[in-house]
Structure formats: structure tokens, C-alpha cells
Amino acid sequence: MISRREVTEPQGLFHPCRAYSYAAIAFMLHSIEELEGLAAWVAARNLPVVITAPQLSQAITWLAIAVLGILIVGRTVTNRPVQIIVAGVVGALLANVVSHVGLSLATWTYMPGTGTALALVLPACLWLYRHMALADPARLVAAGIGVLAMAPVTWVALALAA
């Protein structure tokens, strides 16, 4: 006999539906690390980018809110269009991990966000990518578009914050 509990809610910490929540939590913690030190890191590099700490904080905050919202909706709404958007976000988050590592290596300094990107965002997003309610090739194409869209979306967020 199947109990009501077994029918109504997936159980266990590692159930695939939890991947959406874990990715959201990982990105939230990553954004907090960026908020704590990214503005100072950018200022210390003398980059040809003119952006103030409040503008950078505003851009990080709004991007984090958007990503969290998409991942939360993606956990509960499993239709194809929503899952395509989630796959795009996952691709962008994976590209963000690569950008943190690349910029840390290029400058030979620790870019704030690199630790949480590697320790939290990378495994959470890979797990979500593998278990999301969308099959390949749509998942792969959407994630690839997300990878390509990461930089332009970031620049738009920074421009809107300015």
C-alpha cells in the first residue's frame, strides 16, 4: 500500500527536484561573497571600467533576485518553456564560474566569488543540469545560449545600475 506521504512530496535531501533549491542557495551565497569584496577588487585592478561600488552592488543584487526567482519557479513549474529558461540560467551560471576562475588566474589575485563559484555554484549547477525536467538537445542548446548570454546580460545589468 502506498502512503499519502509517498504520493504527495518527493522525499530525501538528494531528490532531483531539490537541485533547483540547492542551485538557488549556492548562487545566493555566491552573490553575498561578491557583494562583500568585488567592488574593492575591481577598484584595485585599475580596469578600464568606471562603475561605483553602489552600482556594482545594485547590479549583483538584481541579478541574484532574477536568478533566484527563475530557479524557484523552475522547481515548481516543469513545462518546457520554463525549463528552457532554467537551462539558460544554468549555462550562464556555469559561464560565471569560468569567468571567476579565468579572471583570478589572469590577475594572479583572488577574485571575490571564486571560492563559492567553485565550491557551491559549480556542483549545484552541474547537478541541476543533469536532473532538470528538460531533455537534450533542448537542455544543451539552452545552456549554450546561457553561456553566450552571460557577458551581455552582466553588462546590461551594470549599465542599468549606472
Side-chain angles (χ1 to χ4, degrees):
M1 177 175 214
I2 297 176
S3 72
R4 179 183 164 115
R5 182 177 173 195
E6 291 172 330
V7 172
T8 59
E9 177 67 23
Q11 300 300 311
L13 289 175
F14 298 106
H15 192 279
C17 76
R18 306 273 193 266
Y20 296 85
S21 300
Y22 295 150
I25 292 166
F27 189 68
M28 181 181 64
L29 293 172
H30 171 71
S31 297
I32 291 168
E33 184 185 3
E34 286 182 332
L35 285 168
E36 289 297 316
L38 192 56
W41 184 86
V42 169
R45 305 284 81 73
N46 294 321
L47 299 174
V49 177
V50 180
I51 187 161
T52 66
Q55 291 168 333
L56 187 58
S57 295
Q58 186 177 29
I60 291 169
T61 301
W62 282 110
L63 282 171
I65 290 169
V67 167
L68 294 174
I70 290 167
L71 292 173
I72 289 168
V73 169
R75 185 180 192 273
T76 56
V77 180
T78 58
N79 67 32
R80 184 175 171 83
V82 170
Q83 293 305 307
I84 287 172
I85 293 168
V86 170
V89 166
V90 168
L93 294 179
L94 292 172
N96 185 44
V97 171
V98 172
S99 72
H100 276 277
V101 172
L103 287 169
S104 289
L105 291 173
T107 61
W108 288 104
T109 61
Y110 177 80
M111 180 184 187
T114 304
T116 52
L118 288 170
L120 302 175
V121 176
L122 178 63
C125 285
L126 290 175
W127 190 37
L128 174 54
Y129 179 82
R130 181 171 177 179
H131 291 96
M132 65 187 314
L134 185 66
D136 281 329
R139 176 175 54 181
L140 181 61
V141 170
I145 291 170
V147 166
L148 297 174
M150 189 277 293
V153 167
T154 301
W155 285 107
V156 167
L158 290 169
L160 290 174

